[in-house]
Amino acid sequence: MRKIFKKIANFSEKHPFTVLGIIFIITLFMAISATNIKSQTAFEKFLPQNNEIVKTLYQVRDEFGGTDIITITVKIVPSDASDKVIDIRDPRVLRAVKELEDNIRTIDGITNVNSPVDTIIKLNNGKVPDSLDQVKDLLKKLPEEQRRKMFNSDYSMMIIHAFTDAGGDQKKLFRILKQVKSYMYESPFPPGVEVIYTGTPPLRELLYNLMKESQTFTTVVGLVAILIILFLYFKKPISSFLPLIPVAISVIWTGGVMGLLGIPLDMATAGIGSLILGLGIDYGIHLMHRYNEEKRKGLPVDKAIEIAVVETGSAVMATTATTVAGFLALVLAPLPMMVNLGKVCALGITFCMIVVLTLLPSLLIIEDRYILPLIKGEKNE
């Protein structure tokens, strides 16, 4: 291994821009591949797919249609309007609910829609009652237990149930939710009434948005925090950036492999960027520290980079092996998302080792031979 590390160091020292070009091409390919990462928000996908409960769920969907329910709440809210609604059984509300139901039924992927309005219309020979008193009289025909299930106790809320057959098809589900939301906003509800949807499908949409937000936010915060610490340690702007570059590239490579292998972005892998940054930055710091140490001894750049790569390479490889072994243990977990986390972390840490040992020496050579002399030349002028 020492001979291999010596060859890597010598190649990086003699051909730094070639190494930089190769890494750039691979990174560009991985960045494009990362755009193919699919997000996984279906709760059943987080469970073992061979479990009888999960298999039965899929069977029920195939035989009977949708099992996911979009619950649309129609409720009274404070309003200053003179004609505001004070009883959710108001015929104006019922007419708006009926129109909303009719529109939702036209959406491809909606298998059934129902609400208390359906029962009231049925009692009134297929028409929406004209007055609140008429609604109350019609409801008296129903058993008390059934009436209690139609509205809440103070008649300030009712719900509409919309069943979907989207299942694990996230693209289809989000399309359905977008159309439902559009119809909700278009429905002519009177003042003092608010319409909001909830249920498993909207929660999946919320989870998707939060995962994307968390992935971006945690990665950016991790980058900034690490950069500040590196600057406090090296006290040089360029030296502070150098060990961070290979780790950031490793994050891109990890995303690319996720896109290639079809590993989804889920609750477990959403924070993979900051996780890899935190674990992988050590490799670059150790290599740079050893390189600077050898230079302070008076060694030339080529010899200093060789010693740094050879002497830290074995330790970095051993550290990588133990870390990867720990993460690969997650592959044996029964939960699919833990399996994905183990795979992604193992790949990410391996990429950190590879990129640090190949790219960072080239960046150090470029800094010492090209960037620093250029800066000093400008200062002298």
Side-chain angles (χ1 to χ4, degrees), residues 280-323:
I281 193 64
D282 295 356
Y283 301 162
I285 293 175
H286 291 321
L287 194 149
M288 277 193 65
H289 181 81
R290 185 58 185 268
Y291 173 71
N292 292 332
E293 189 178 81
E294 298 303 324
K295 282 184 63 182
R296 284 195 293 269
K297 293 178 181 178
L299 294 179
V301 171
D302 56 343
K303 192 64 177 176
I305 203 71
E306 179 182 315
I307 293 175
V309 173
V310 171
E311 296 302 324
T312 61
S314 298
V316 167
M317 178 166 284
T319 302
T320 301
T322 54
T323 305

Side-chain angles (χ1 to χ4, degrees), residues 82-236:
S82 58
D83 58 343
K84 64 183 179 182
V85 173
I86 58 174
D87 190 315
I88 204 66
R89 297 170 294 180
D90 190 312
R92 293 176 297 168
V93 178
L94 303 185
R95 280 191 287 270
V97 169
K98 182 181 185 305
E99 181 175 325
L100 177 56
E101 282 191 80
D102 291 342
N103 287 331
I104 293 176
R105 288 190 180 97
T106 65
I107 299 174
D108 180 35
I110 294 292
T111 58
N112 187 29
V113 183
N114 62 66
S115 77
V117 176
D118 301 328
T119 303
I120 294 172
I121 291 176
K122 186 176 180 180
L123 291 172
N124 197 44
N125 299 318
K127 297 180 181 180
V128 177
D130 296 322
S131 67
L132 179 58
D133 289 335
Q134 188 179 359
V135 174
K136 293 178 180 179
D137 290 337
L138 290 170
L139 290 174
K140 290 178 182 178
K141 299 178 181 180
L142 299 174
E144 183 179 350
E145 184 178 351
Q146 185 178 352
R147 291 201 304 269
R148 284 202 301 265
K149 294 179 180 179
M150 295 172 66
F151 306 96
N152 64 339
S153 59
D154 61 355
Y155 299 103
S156 64
M157 181 186 297
M158 76 168 79
I159 58 175
I160 304 169
H161 289 133
F163 296 79
T164 84
D165 62 358
D169 189 340
Q170 183 165 282
K171 185 176 181 181
K172 181 179 180 180
L173 179 64
F174 288 176
R175 174 186 56 78
I176 292 172
L177 288 174
K178 183 179 180 180
Q179 290 179 277
V180 169
K181 187 183 296 183
S182 175
Y183 286 137
M184 284 166 51
Y185 292 149
E186 293 173 2
S187 299
F189 284 95
V193 174
E194 183 180 48
V195 184
I196 301 175
Y197 65 19
T198 184
T200 302
L203 288 177
R204 286 176 56 185
E205 182 183 44
L206 176 62
L207 179 60
Y208 170 78
N209 292 330
L210 291 176
M211 286 194 308
K212 287 180 61 179
E213 181 182 331
S214 297
Q215 183 187 37
T216 303
F217 178 75
T218 55
T219 302
V220 171
V221 170
L223 278 169
V224 173
I226 290 172
L227 184 59
I228 292 172
I229 295 171
L230 290 176
F231 181 76
L232 293 174
Y233 179 74
F234 290 109
K235 295 182 174 60
K236 296 178 181 178

Side-chain angles (χ1 to χ4, degrees), residues 230-355:
L230 290 176
F231 181 76
L232 293 174
Y233 179 74
F234 290 109
K235 295 182 174 60
K236 296 178 181 178
I238 297 177
S239 297
S240 301
F241 273 102
L242 291 185
L244 192 57
I245 293 173
V247 188
I249 288 174
S250 301
V251 173
I252 298 174
W253 285 21
T254 304
V257 171
M258 288 177 68
L260 288 172
L261 300 181
I263 300 175
L265 181 70
D266 54 30
M267 289 189 293
T269 57
I272 192 64
S274 57
L275 188 60
I276 293 174
L277 286 172
L279 292 172
I281 193 64
D282 295 356
Y283 301 162
I285 293 175
H286 291 321
L287 194 149
M288 277 193 65
H289 181 81
R290 185 58 185 268
Y291 173 71
N292 292 332
E293 189 178 81
E294 298 303 324
K295 282 184 63 182
R296 284 195 293 269
K297 293 178 181 178
L299 294 179
V301 171
D302 56 343
K303 192 64 177 176
I305 203 71
E306 179 182 315
I307 293 175
V309 173
V310 171
E311 296 302 324
T312 61
S314 298
V316 167
M317 178 166 284
T319 302
T320 301
T322 54
T323 305
V324 168
F327 280 124
L328 286 180
L330 294 175
V331 176
L332 303 177
L335 290 174
M337 66 177 180
M338 299 305 295
V339 174
N340 291 335
L341 178 63
K343 291 177 181 178
V344 172
C345 286
L347 287 168
I349 295 302
T350 302
F351 289 148
C352 282
M353 178 194 70
I354 294 171
V355 181

